[in-house]
Amino acid sequence: MLIEQPPLLYRWLFNGALWKIPAAKGEPKCVYLTFDDGPIPEMTPWILETLDRYGIKATFFCVGDNVRKYPDLYGQILERGHNVGNHTYNHIQGIRFWSKNYVRNVAEAAKFIDSGLFRPPHGHMRFPQLFRLRKLFRIVMWDVVTRDYSPHMTAKGVFNNVRRYTRNGSIIVFHDSLKAISRIEEALPKSIEWLLAEGYEFKLIH
């Protein structure tokens, strides 16, 4: 539970960050699919095709160095109507870096990623980093982590995390990474189909 859905204390400590976006009263309940760590040729094209098949859009939090290496994939994300966000240049954790170096890394990623959104890898930032970056970006966290990256999870477990923890306005995290391949190929379509059957609309984060 502490991994799949962040506790209230953690949300309070990072006050001002975006954790979920519930639909307004009277509107259909909604969710926000997000994908971290790409783009990579082994995973991102399949995700894009899957999203196209269901006619839904998502927000991709990209690693700057991956965008540098695979600009065509980055272009495909945008051409297909999805949104993007900054996920640092090298997927670094803020708590392991001085704030000046961390912010510089994010700025390097911004040379390749044109976005006002930022998500810290692993959700880890020092408070000075948060204070500086939220002046430049909308800080986007999450309401549900699927744990598709974990070798201790099965595809069924990933799907069960979506089914158990999703609520109106949930920001859901999947990964277009090599670590997630063996689980996401089964879990993502099943999750999308379940969410649609439950009456959720899929929205983009802006």
Side-chain angles (χ1 to χ4, degrees), residues 74-103:
Y74 177 74
Q76 286 182 39
I77 293 172
L78 296 172
E79 287 167 9
R80 297 192 190 200
H82 305 289
N83 206 0
V84 295
N86 188 319
H87 201 46
T88 75
Y89 187 76
N90 302 111
H91 199 263
I92 61 174
Q93 295 190 51
I95 58 175
R96 297 183 178 180
F97 288 82
W98 294 110
S99 295
K100 179 177 66 174
N101 295 334
Y102 187 75
V103 172

Side-chain angles (χ1 to χ4, degrees), residues 33-35 57-61 82-85 117 203-205:
L33 275 190
T34 67
F35 296 88
K57 305 302 180 186
T59 304
F60 289 76
F61 288 89
H82 305 289
N83 206 0
V84 295
L117 305 177
K203 294 186 177 182
L204 284 173
I205 302 174

Side-chain angles (χ1 to χ4, degrees), residues 64-77:
D65 193 39
N66 285 342
V67 175
R68 179 191 65 80
K69 290 186 289 189
Y70 309 114
D72 290 344
L73 283 181
Y74 177 74
Q76 286 182 39
I77 293 172

Side-chain angles (χ1 to χ4, degrees), residues 21-185:
I21 318 171
K25 187 175 181 179
E27 294 184 358
K29 57 186 179 179
C30 63
V31 291
Y32 299 79
L33 275 190
T34 67
F35 296 88
D36 286 4
D37 301 354
I40 58 170
E42 299 88 348
M43 192 78 263
T44 308
W46 177 85
I47 291 175
L48 292 174
E49 290 170 7
T50 301
L51 296 175
D52 280 353
R53 188 163 73 247
Y54 291 100
I56 61 178
K57 305 302 180 186
T59 304
F60 289 76
F61 288 89
C62 300
V63 172
D65 193 39
N66 285 342
V67 175
R68 179 191 65 80
K69 290 186 289 189
Y70 309 114
D72 290 344
L73 283 181
Y74 177 74
Q76 286 182 39
I77 293 172
L78 296 172
E79 287 167 9
R80 297 192 190 200
H82 305 289
N83 206 0
V84 295
N86 188 319
H87 201 46
T88 75
Y89 187 76
N90 302 111
H91 199 263
I92 61 174
Q93 295 190 51
I95 58 175
R96 297 183 178 180
F97 288 82
W98 294 110
S99 295
K100 179 177 66 174
N101 295 334
Y102 187 75
V103 172
R104 183 180 297 144
N105 192 275
V106 175
E108 183 66 20
K111 295 178 182 178
F112 301 90
I113 304 164
D114 183 15
S115 175
L117 305 177
F118 174 72
R119 172 177 283 164
H122 305 282
H124 297 159
M125 277 193 296
R126 299 175 185 268
F127 288 116
Q129 296 162 358
L130 171 65
F131 297 149
R132 291 177 67 175
L133 288 173
R134 71 183 182 186
K135 295 177 181 178
L136 304 171
F137 298 94
R138 190 179 197 189
I139 308 297
V140 182
M141 295 294 202
W142 54 80
D143 188 51
V144 180
V145 176
T146 64
R147 296 186 66 205
D148 55 348
Y149 56 82
S150 173
H152 305 295
M153 291 292 292
T154 63
K156 182 178 180 181
V158 171
F159 170 58
N160 285 339
N161 281 338
V162 173
R163 190 165 55 176
R164 179 178 182 183
Y165 295 107
T166 298
R167 52 189 170 170
N168 180 25
S170 284
I171 298 172
I172 304 172
V173 182
F174 285 92
H175 294 78
D176 50 337
S177 69
L178 294 175
K179 291 181 179 179
I181 286 178
S182 64
R183 289 161 289 276
I184 195 173
E185 288 182 338

